[in-house]
């Protein structure tokens, strides 16, 4: 019995020098953990044949599965293929069929394969190739010393389907285990430190779950993972629902969804259901709220229009904001924010208007109106809810926080919750 | 002499289960490599006291510097402090001064410190604390067996200044080395596979650099890293400029900048310099181009307005697109794209109008107008350049690619380049 389940080896000088940020660990980690297995460690090293071979030999001794990503390309610094062959003491053999696949791929693209691509038709003897529909680098798998070694190319859109369709089923065959119960509950409108006292006793009373709190610019996600895989599935699900109910009692509508739910998707579902519509007037967020709303496929059903009105002139000309209001209160004011939201509704005939106006920074602040000061809100026929808040962080953090605060305020209104 | 320079240990179950994506390796890697040192490996493991201690003991034997991130919080699953003390065989001691700092921080926030926060005032005997201006978890450093061990909290906005201001100067003291020459050249408007034949001979003739090609949704970055640190700095710089000149000869304006340059920042500089202005009309990109343009501080000087016109009605009402053009050609057509760009200029008086219209997917495609089909372009007084292209990928990939293609087309026009 191996002490570690699954380990990853991620290869690339660019990952260590910070020229590229790894995304494979998060992808593979999520994929295998929802399938009931577990990544227990990941190592990142450079494109160095000796080091890769040494590390792999070491990890084979501990892990039941080692997944290696990166370094299968045609160029001279791609040495993963050779390093794996070294570590497993297997010769590389040329596979005519894989070479024909590579040639065919180049032909379809109207290009000629390079001699360097021939390297990609060599595989360790006894390994099974893993087809790559998105590129010339096929992967391979080989079982040795009670360890499954799977080697995949680096580009995420190539690795992802190979991992999902070929490697994951093999892992599930090895572990033969019920998928681990895992759920993410999504909150918004409250920071981690304000949340802690409200939820501590709940977290402490659900000891059958690992509970993690994951703050990001849009809110705080609460991750729930079953501690004892294989325990009574119905009971685990019931306990998770109890946890969710307790959290909802503590946080109200700030617990807005779970899993892949987003504020913009829930807003879209509510608007669609009620046949209501939306228009957006943005100053400091500069199109970011419209971008989030249109991330949702089908948003054309309810988003009538967005206006990015950065200058005073455009606020007046496009949204009908009164020059008098800008004169009297300044562009960053409750009055102008409300007129922007009303204007967005008026010019489009939408049910709701959203608006933001503020100082994103880093420059433009004054003692009375500091960087981060923002008015944001929602208006409807006969009313409006405009909030004032000073947001912290760098320019893009401020903008992202304002966008989420506005979406959250709007969601809460649609859901009939007082916040 | 240790065989490895700097290694990272990143701690957190959430990194292995895919609930959170690590960002520390990229940040620390970039920081230390521009300072002339090198991260040679990184390991990610869970919040497990025994495993952390065992891994640290092993890495101390190889590395000159080990940086540990994460697991210093006040909760029960934060075990890094204890694990490091175990590995180094150092007792933990209570530091009254750090405890007072924590209490003061809570007082300023108008909250009460919890007994659990007391844990954060314990440090391995003989270690130096590293102040944390952004949170309650101070870090610490200790030198043992010719290895500097630095332990930092996980949240990036806490880790970053501690790493930069305290740990990095210590690393520079150890390595006493000239900063490694490193530059990123940024390209757009050409994919990696079309670029390869144009640049292969250049890449092969500059053997004094490690050259990496890093494709992303907006283009391809070319990373250049000096291979032999400590060599003649003036010569390395000259060679890098020669490389850049060769690349420019091969790629023309598709090589648009270096380092932190972005298309939107360069566009902003060109517009500011010429006192020209811009308005944007977006359909499928839904505010994304306006968002990129307003990422630049000071963009209010030239961005007059953006309009997100998702529906046909809003194209007509807000941008003055003719119902006849929509009727005759459909909303996704060259004629409508041109009218959108012209309309954006007309309603704002801007020098240039940008526009996009297309089918982002995943639904909405037809045999004649498939998902990804997009018209995008720029218009000016007396002319326009509207392009047609089918973009590939998922909804958000398509949108990001369209946004970058539009910005690149506009940049090329401003720069007077034919593309």
């Amino acid at each position: 019995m191996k002490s570690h389940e699954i380990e990853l080896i991620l290869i690339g000088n660019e990952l260590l020098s910070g020229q590229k940020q790894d995304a494979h660990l998060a992808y593979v980690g999520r994929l295998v953990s929802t399938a009931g297995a577990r990544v227990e460690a990941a190592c990142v090293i450079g494109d160095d044949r000796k080091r890769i071979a040494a590390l792999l030999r070491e990890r084979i001794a501990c892990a039941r599965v080692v997944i290696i990503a990166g370094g299968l390309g045609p160029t001279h610094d791609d040495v993963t293929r050779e390093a794996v062959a070294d570590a497993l003491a297997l010769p590389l053999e040329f596979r005519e069929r894989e070479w024909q696949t590579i040639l065919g791929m180049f032909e379809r693209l109207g290009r000629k394969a390079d001699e360097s691509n021939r390297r990609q038709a060599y595989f360790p003897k006894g390994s099974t190739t893993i087809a790559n529909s998105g590129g010339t680098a096929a992967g391979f798998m080989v079982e040795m010393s009670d360890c499954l070694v799977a080697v995949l190319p680096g580009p995420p859109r190539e690795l992802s389907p190979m991992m999902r369709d070929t490697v994951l089923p093999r892992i599930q065959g090895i572990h033969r285990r019920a998928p681990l119960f895992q759920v993410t509950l999504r909150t918004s409108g409250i920071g981690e430190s304000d949340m802690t006292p409200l939820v501590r006793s709940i977290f402490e009373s659900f000891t059958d779950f690992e509970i993690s709190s994951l703050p990001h610019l849009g809110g705080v996600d609460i991750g729930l993972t079953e501690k004892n895989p294989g325990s009574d599935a119905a009971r685990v699900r019931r306990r998770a629902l109890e946890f969710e109910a307790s959290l909802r009692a503590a946080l109200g509508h700030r617990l807005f969804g779970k899993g892949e739910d987003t504020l913009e998707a829930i807003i879209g579902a509510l608007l669609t259901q009620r046949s209501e519509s939306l228009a957006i007037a943005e100053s400091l967020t500069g199109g970011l709220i419209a971008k989030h709303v249109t991330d949702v496929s089908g948003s054309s059903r309810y988003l009538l229009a967005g206006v990015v009105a950065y200058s005073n002139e455009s606020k007046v000309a496009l949204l009908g904001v009164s020059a008098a209001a800008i004169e009297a209160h300044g562009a960053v004011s409750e009055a102008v924010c409300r007129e922007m939201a009303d204007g967005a509704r008026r010019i489009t005939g939408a049910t709701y208007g959203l608006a933001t106006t503020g100082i994103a920074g880093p420059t433009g602040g004054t003692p009375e109106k500091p960087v981060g000061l923002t008015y944001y809100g929602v208006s409807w026929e006969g009313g409006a809810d405009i909030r004032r808040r000073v947001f912290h962080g760098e320019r893009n953090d401020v903008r992202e926080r304002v966008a989420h605060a506005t979406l959250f305020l709007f969601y809460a209104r649609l859901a009939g919750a007082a916040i």
Side-chain angles (χ1 to χ4, degrees), chain A:
Chain A
M1 186 63 186
K2 295 292 189 87
S3 62
H4 286 204
E5 285 194 358
I6 300 169
E7 296 197 8
L8 260 58
I9 299 180
L10 306 165
I11 292 167
N13 291 334
E14 71 278 13
L15 300 172
L16 294 171
S17 65
Q19 292 176 295
K20 191 166 191 173
Q21 183 171 324
D22 167 65
H24 290 323
L25 173 55
Y27 173 75
V28 175
R30 182 177 286 261
L31 192 68
V32 307
S33 70
T34 51
R38 194 152 61 173
V39 173
E40 304 225 17
C43 281
V44 187
I45 55 169
D47 301 279
D48 179 312
R49 181 167 168 173
K50 276 196 191 139
R51 281 206 186 163
I52 297 169
L55 179 64
L56 177 56
R57 266 191 299 265
E58 186 189 304
R59 301 328 303 160
I60 284 174
C62 303
R64 183 61 192 87
V65 177
V66 176
I67 299 165
I68 304 177
L72 290 184
T75 70
H76 61 283
D77 48 307
D78 292 304
V79 294
T80 300
R81 183 182 312 277
E82 290 76 14
V84 172
D86 293 349
L88 305 177
L90 294 172
L92 287 169
E93 64 181 16
F94 180 74
R95 296 191 179 157
E96 182 61 32
R97 212 182 116 188
E98 302 306 324
W99 179 228
Q100 293 304 327
T101 305
I102 294 172
L103 290 176
M105 193 167 292
F106 274 96
E107 212 173 288
R108 277 194 302 283
L109 293 170
R111 289 209 301 272
K112 252 180 77 77
D114 198 278
E115 261 312 294
S116 62
N117 288 107
R118 262 186 92 87
R119 286 186 56 202
Q120 300 186 299
Y122 282 84
F123 297 87
K125 200 172 164 145
S127 66
T128 319
T129 47
I130 306 174
N132 178 356
S133 57
T136 54
F140 56 92
M141 281 194 291
V142 56
E143 179 94 31
M144 183 165 281
S145 314
D146 194 30
C147 180
L148 172 71
V149 179
V151 185
L152 300 169
R157 69 167 196 292
E158 300 179 23
L159 175 137
S160 305
M162 296 164 82
M163 182 64 213
R164 187 188 58 221
D165 301 335
T166 310
V167 183
L168 185 64
R170 272 295 292 272
I171 291 175
Q172 289 173 307
I174 290 170
H175 287 290
R176 296 188 185 290
R177 204 185 262 166
L180 202 63
F181 182 84
Q182 196 169 40
V183 67
T184 303
L185 300 173
R186 309 210 64 192
T187 79
S188 189
I190 182 168
E192 197 180 23
S193 22
D194 290 328
M195 189 189 292
T196 303
L198 303 180
V199 300
R200 180 175 294 127
S201 66
I202 303 171
F203 281 24
E204 285 170 359
S205 61
F206 282 81
T207 50
D208 34 353
F209 294 109
E210 266 183 24
I211 302 169
S212 56
S213 147
L214 307 163
H216 52 88
L217 290 174
V220 180
D221 291 339
I222 308 294
L224 211 61
T225 306
E226 178 185 2
K227 264 189 191 160
N228 309 303
S231 53
D232 176 3
R235 188 181 172 278
V236 171
R237 259 158 233 285
R238 203 180 58 236
R239 287 286 288 166
L241 288 175
E242 284 169 24
F243 178 88
E244 191 181 334
S246 308
L247 208 61
R248 192 174 303 283
L251 300 178
H253 276 81
R254 290 174 292 198
L255 172 59
F256 70 85
K258 52 173 121 175
E260 306 293 309
D261 288 348
T262 61
L263 282 174
E264 50 269 27
I266 293 176
I267 286 170
L270 289 168
L271 289 173
T272 303
Q273 190 185 315
R274 301 175 189 185
S275 305
E276 292 183 331
S277 59
L278 174 65
I280 306 170
E282 303 186 61
S283 182
L284 87 161
T285 46
L288 189 54
I289 297 181
K291 190 263 169 196
H292 281 302
V293 170
T294 58
D295 279 346
V296 180
S297 179
S299 45
S300 55
R301 276 201 297 270
Y302 47 84
L303 179 68
L304 300 191
V307 171
V308 178
Y310 232 53
S311 63
N312 289 347
E313 294 72 24
S314 62
K315 290 182 181 78
V316 173
L318 299 184
L319 294 166
V321 171
S322 63
I326 296 177
E327 178 73 24
H329 308 284
V332 179
S333 63
E334 182 174 339
V336 168
C337 185
R338 164 128 197 198
E339 289 198 19
M340 288 173 69
D342 284 343
R345 276 196 304 123
R346 198 175 45 241
I347 61 171
T348 58
T351 324
Y352 300 97
L354 301 183
T356 64
T357 178
I359 301 154
T363 58
T366 64
E368 301 82 50
K369 297 193 172 180
V371 165
L373 174 68
T374 302
Y375 293 87
Y376 64 97
V378 51
S379 96
W380 57 92
E381 179 74 45
D385 183 358
I386 307 295
R387 305 288 173 109
R388 175 193 191 279
R389 194 158 131 202
V390 179
F391 290 87
H392 295 286
E394 297 183 353
R395 180 177 177 84
N396 278 326
D397 289 6
V398 166
R399 284 152 47 96
E400 201 63 70
R401 289 195 164 109
V402 172
H404 280 94
T406 309
L407 289 171
F408 178 68
L409 183 68
F410 182 41
Y411 153 74
R413 167 143 299 272
L414 289 177
I419 63 160

